[in-house]
């Protein structure tokens, strides 16, 4: 195996394209040109890596000496495996210290070592478990009043000024004070900490010149000494409150787990981790929202949008744009083999805008219902412990500012940033407003009112955009077609083949695949009336009329088309045609070989026939009960060429049949989407409580009879992604280590269930109330 260093010597460029690079491989030139400290990456890291997401998602950067990873799934894969992809290099100086700088640091006894974020297993989880309590959502609730008080004090000081730099006036100091308060660190030297933090960031993630290195080394050395002094001071108060006091106590109780070296290193790292991240994220948030005025105005009109708007800001313009890992053995990311010891720059800002995970990913959209999947807090066992403090602060800032200064606007200015690989946020955010128009001058009570948001990830329930029904038609017997457009006439987000939206109709929230042409301004849905169903489709058929305003979640895509297959067979049963037609459109646009097999009772009951015949006539095979032309699924599978894929949406028996027929084919051959879930509601009369041991976090939870496993895990402060909460999407998957599972999802195949390695936590449970072990 060639090491990156060797490769660099051999080709000076991209190892995968080394041969082509002599002839001028254009992709390799992009990899060679990639500069993490200046140019496009410093202007907009997500945009700068668009070419990589599309063409070369894992590449070696000779300038940086790192492998750069730019796609969402690949980044998540790296975060997920903390053993193969060690965090040991997370706080390493990305630009090696000059001998002079090292001398200076030595003079201060500088010995920055493992903290939490760069500690390997098993030491890391042991330490994290010992120190987790303060971060659990229920224990953070009490911090809300303090954050609001500090925010109001700052706002009161500038509310009548009409012009302010938000960073200087609020966004720097409040997160620092909150952090110091949370940590229990004395608040007496705030000014000096600012210098130190910048020095630490440049020292760790920047590219200082040789001269700058020496000056920074002095600041970093002093920061180190300062951290040591604070620890000594805090040790004099054994009863002190705050997380660092707890850490110092644990150091005395379990010195092998919470070591001396850890305590000193952490004291320095946590001050930056806890406040610089939040200050920069908040600065990005105000800049982004005030540059997207419609979003700001929507929040002013409906503050319940705030938690998701914060999440979307963290996704679209997060403060940590790239993080690091190092392989401990040869590894594979995407389809690239990496040697042992390879250093990785995993660019969350790029993954956060990856269209493969986020529909219309480069669009800022506060109604995005999977914004919370962003990677700005990392992912997996090292995921940010303080994420709920950061979220809490950002929500309170936004809530206070939109209520008290809805007429705020960005002033003319040039934004500047500290050049580095990882921490991103403007140095200043100048804003203006007319104090005479401050709403509280007329309504003084406004200065004191406020909304409350529970600590934790935002609830999907609050996320919905307003749309209007602009078209209503009969698509087939029992099927109506709807066209929906944004209620304020704005463009709706783009979507990809296989995507769905959810109509929010109170007790009848229902998901429907998008079946219009991708470039149409509105969203087309086709909805079958199911008289035996749970009532949603009946409600829609009976009550929805043209011109009505509705609420809608999404689009999201859980049924994605792999665009690289050799050939495609698309199989639809009845109303399952809706995602299939969008896939056919896409395959036609890509010029791929495809066939559509559309099964139904009779032509009269089959939706979208005219459109299919007009757009896909040569590829369409109809199988109707009335004509006796049933689809021969076995023949379809037998005729599938190598590298071909089958996509099916239809009734369960059709999916099961194809699942059986493709059981011996390569794993990626068969893709399916059920259009209905089993009833996943819990009936406490029939359910049993059970115990679950979460091995990674060292917790044992009791899951009550009326509670899902997912809810129990979330209540313990552990983030598990979720989307459908009906067992359809697979996003809430957790690894099973031991115990019998009662699988109730529609995601796992029969053989996957038999393997007993995965559980969908939103619906599946332990069998017969038994105890289970999860990762
Ligand atoms: C870890 C981001 C706020 C404490 C991390 C990581 C990231 C991050 C990217 C590494 C995750 C990984 O390796 O998977 C952020 C952002 C914040 C924020 C964007 C604000 C918007 C905070 C706050 C605190 C905090 C307020 C504490 C009060 C920590 C700790 C870790 C960590 C202790 C180490 C966790 C571990 O390795 O187990 N953070 N952070 N963070 N963060 Fe944050
Ligand atoms: Fe979709 Fe659980 S959240 S399967």
């Amino acid at each position: 195996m060639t090491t990156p260093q060797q490769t660099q010597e051999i080709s000076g460029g991209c190892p995968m394209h080394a041969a082509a690079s002599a002839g001028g491989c254009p992709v390799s030139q992009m990899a060679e040109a990639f500069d993490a400290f200046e140019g496009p990456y410093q202007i907009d890291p997500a945009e700068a890596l668009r070419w990589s997401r599309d063409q070369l998602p894992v590449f070696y950067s000779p300038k940086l000496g790192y492998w750069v990873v730019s796609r969402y799934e690949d980044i998540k894969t790296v975060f997920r495996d903390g053993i193969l992809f060690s965090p040991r290099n997370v706080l390493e100086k990305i630009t090696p210290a000059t001998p002079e700088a090292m001398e200076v640091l030595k003079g201060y006894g500088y010995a920055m070592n493992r903290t939490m974020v760069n500690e390997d297993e098993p030491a890391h989880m042991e330490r994290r478990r010992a120190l987790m309590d303060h971060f659990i959502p229920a224990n953070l609730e009490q911090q809300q009043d303090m954050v609001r008080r500090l925010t109001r004090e700052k706002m009161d000081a500038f509310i009548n000024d009409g012009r302010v730099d938000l960073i200087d006036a609020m966004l720097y100091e409040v997160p620092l004070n909150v952090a110091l308060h949370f940590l229990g660190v004395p608040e007496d030297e705030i000014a000096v900490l600012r210098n130190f933090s910048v020095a630490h960031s440049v020292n760790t993630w920047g590219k200082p010149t040789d001269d700058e290195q020496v000056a920074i080394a002095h600041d970093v050395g002093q920061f180190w000494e300062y951290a040591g002094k604070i620890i000594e001071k805090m040790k004099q108060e054994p009863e002190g409150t705050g997380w660092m006091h707890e850490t110092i106590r644990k150091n005395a109780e379990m010195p092998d787990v919470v070591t001396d070296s850890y305590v000193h290193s952490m004291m320095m790292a946590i001050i930056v981790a806890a406040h610089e991240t939040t200050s920069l994220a908040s600065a990005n948030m105000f800049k982004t929202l005030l540059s997207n005025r419609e979003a700001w105005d929507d929040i002013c009109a409906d503050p319940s949008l705030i938690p998701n708007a914060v999440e979307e800001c963290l996704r679209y313009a997060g403060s940590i744009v790239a993080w690091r890992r190092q392989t401990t053995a040869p590894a594979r990311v995407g389809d690239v083999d990496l040697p042992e010891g390879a250093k990785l720059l995993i660019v969350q800002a790029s993954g956060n805008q990856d269209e493969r995970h986020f529909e219309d990913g480069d669009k800022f959209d506060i109604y995005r219902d999977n914004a919370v999947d962003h990677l700005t807090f990392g992912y997996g066992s090292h995921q940010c412990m303080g994420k709920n403090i950061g979220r809490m602060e950002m929500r309170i800032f936004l809530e206070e500012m939109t209520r008290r200064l809805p007429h705020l606007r960005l002033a003319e200015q040039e934004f500047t940033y500290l050049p580095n690989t990882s921490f991103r946020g403007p140095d200043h955010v100048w804003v203006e407003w007319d104090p005479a128009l401050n709403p509280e001058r007329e309504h003084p009570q406004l200065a004191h009112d406020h909304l409350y948001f529970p600590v934790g990830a935002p609830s999907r329930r609050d996320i919905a955009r307003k749309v209007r029904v602009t078209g209503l038609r009969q698509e087939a017997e029992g099927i109506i077609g709807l066209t929906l457009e944004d209620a304020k006439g704005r463009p709706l987000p783009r979507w990809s083949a296989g995507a769905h939206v959810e109509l929010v109709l109170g007790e009848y929230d229902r998901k429907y695949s998008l079946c219009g042409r991708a470039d149409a301004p509105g969203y087309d849905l086709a909805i079958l009336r199911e008289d035996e169903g749970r009532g949603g489709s009946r409600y829609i058929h009976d009550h929805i009329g043209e011109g009505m305003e509705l609420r809608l979640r999404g689009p999201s895509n859980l049924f994605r088309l792999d665009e690289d297959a050799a050939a495609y067979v698309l199989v639809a049963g009845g109303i399952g045609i809706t995602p299939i037609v969008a896939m056919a459109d896409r395959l036609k646009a890509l010029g791929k070989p495809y066939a559509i097999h559309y099964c139904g009772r009779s032509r009269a009951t089959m939706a979208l026939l005219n459109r299919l015949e007009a757009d896909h006539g040569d590829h369409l095979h109809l199988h109707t009960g009335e004509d006796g032309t049933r689809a021969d699924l076995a023949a379809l599978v037998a005729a599938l060429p190598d590298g071909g894929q089958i996509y099916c949406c239809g009734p369960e028996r059709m999916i099961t049949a194809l699942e059986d027929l493709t059981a011996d084919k390569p794993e990626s051959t068969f893709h399916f989407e059920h259009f209905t879930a089993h009833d996943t509601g819990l009936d406490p009369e029939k359910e049993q409580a059970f115990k679950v041991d979460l091995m990674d976090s060292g917790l044992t939870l009791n899951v009550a009879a009326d509670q899902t496993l997912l809810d129990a895990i979330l209540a313990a402060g552990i983030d598990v992604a979720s989307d459908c909460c009906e067992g359809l999407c697979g996003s809430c998957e957790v690894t099973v280590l031991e115990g019998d599972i009662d699988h109730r999802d529609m995601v796992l195949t029969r053989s996957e269930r038999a393997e007993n390695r995965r559980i969908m936590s939103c619906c599946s449970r332990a069998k017969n109330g038994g105890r289970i072990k999860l990762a």
Side-chain angles (χ1 to χ4, degrees), residues 44-58:
D44 181 346
E47 184 56 33
L49 285 170
R50 184 188 292 275
W51 69 271
S52 160
R53 287 196 296 282
D54 290 343
Q55 301 172 50
L56 193 60
V58 181

Side-chain angles (χ1 to χ4, degrees), residues 713-727:
I713 296 177
L714 293 175
I718 297 169
D719 271 4
V720 173
S722 63
D723 186 340
C724 69
C725 290
E726 290 182 279

Side-chain angles (χ1 to χ4, degrees), residues 131-377:
L131 297 169
M132 189 66 201
D133 242 31
H134 278 61
F135 290 98
I136 287 177
N139 293 342
L140 288 176
E141 285 291 355
Q142 60 194 7
Q143 310 273 347
Q144 297 231 34
D145 288 348
M146 177 257 304
V147 175
R148 196 168 291 278
R149 178 176 49 78
L150 291 172
T151 308
R152 286 186 174 176
E153 273 170 24
K154 293 290 175 197
M155 279 192 76
D156 289 345
F158 66 68
I159 192 128
N160 291 315
D161 291 356
R163 181 180 160 89
V164 81
D165 169 14
L166 279 180
I167 312 270
D168 267 357
M170 183 167 87
L171 299 181
Y172 186 80
E173 257 182 48
V174 176
L176 181 53
N177 276 320
V178 171
L180 297 179
H181 193 276
F182 173 78
L183 300 172
V185 170
E187 296 173 21
D188 37 4
E189 287 184 70
I190 281 190
V192 81
L193 280 175
R194 185 167 197 172
N195 250 353
F196 288 168
S197 298
V198 171
H200 177 55
S201 298
V202 177
N203 187 49
T204 316
W205 296 282
K207 193 181 179 186
T209 61
D210 288 2
D211 285 347
E212 284 164 349
Q213 286 236 21
V214 171
I216 286 168
H218 279 292
D219 277 343
V220 170
Q222 284 164 23
F223 194 179
W224 178 257
E225 277 185 343
Y226 175 77
K229 278 190 208 138
I230 297 179
I231 294 168
E232 288 315 311
K233 199 161 158 188
M234 289 173 77
K235 279 185 179 165
Q236 310 311 312
E237 301 168 45
E239 302 300 318
T241 54
W243 189 64
M244 278 312 289
H245 275 292
E246 178 68 6
T247 301
I248 290 167
R249 279 193 291 270
K250 287 273 188 274
N251 170 238
E253 274 169 38
M254 34 167 58
D256 296 340
V257 175
V258 181
T259 60
D260 289 347
S261 151
Y262 161 79
V263 176
H264 196 158
S265 299
M266 191 56 168
M267 179 56 97
M268 184 162 152
I270 190 69
I271 290 173
V272 177
H275 99 273
E276 195 84 1
T277 48
T278 313
S279 289
L280 295 175
S282 307
N284 290 333
M285 171 174 80
F286 282 104
K287 173 175 179 275
T288 307
L289 282 170
L290 291 169
S291 317
N292 288 273
R293 190 76 211 183
E294 286 169 344
W296 176 269
D297 290 343
D298 283 4
I299 294 170
C300 293
D302 179 3
S304 73
L305 295 168
I306 285 173
N308 199 56
V310 165
E311 227 56 34
E312 175 65 353
C313 290
L314 285 163
R315 182 195 75 88
Y316 184 80
S319 51
I320 300 286
V321 294
W323 215 233
R324 284 181 283 171
R325 290 290 189 261
Q326 186 163 17
T327 56
T328 53
R332 195 171 169 82
V333 179
D335 54 7
V336 175
D337 288 316
L338 303 175
E340 178 181 341
K343 293 181 172 184
L344 273 59
L345 186 76
I346 44 180
V347 187
Q348 294 122 295
S350 169
N352 282 349
Q353 295 197 19
D354 188 345
E355 303 266 337
R356 290 153 202 83
H357 188 86
F358 296 103
E359 294 293 285
D360 212 358
D362 56 8
K363 183 173 167 177
F364 178 69
D365 177 11
I366 57 169
Y367 299 97
R368 184 181 297 282
D369 70 348
N370 65 347
V372 70
D373 288 355
H374 67 76
L375 299 167
T376 301
F377 291 128

Side-chain angles (χ1 to χ4, degrees), residues 2-60:
T2 322
T3 66
Q5 287 75 15
Q6 285 164 332
T7 311
Q8 208 179 341
E9 282 157 23
I10 297 162
S11 70
C14 154
M16 278 153 303
H17 289 67
S21 129
C25 161
V27 171
S28 176
Q29 281 168 15
M30 300 294 279
E32 273 181 51
F34 176 75
D35 191 325
F37 300 104
E38 55 185 53
Y41 181 83
Q42 285 303 320
I43 296 166
D44 181 346
E47 184 56 33
L49 285 170
R50 184 188 292 275
W51 69 271
S52 160
R53 287 196 296 282
D54 290 343
Q55 301 172 50
L56 193 60
V58 181
F59 69 89
Y60 182 70

Side-chain angles (χ1 to χ4, degrees), residues 411-432:
E412 277 292 315
Q413 66 203 293
E414 286 236 340
F415 292 100
T416 55
Y417 294 81
L418 183 76
N420 75 98
T421 55
S422 298
F423 277 63
R424 183 172 172 84
D427 298 322
H428 305 281
V429 178
W430 283 97
V431 289
E432 296 171 338

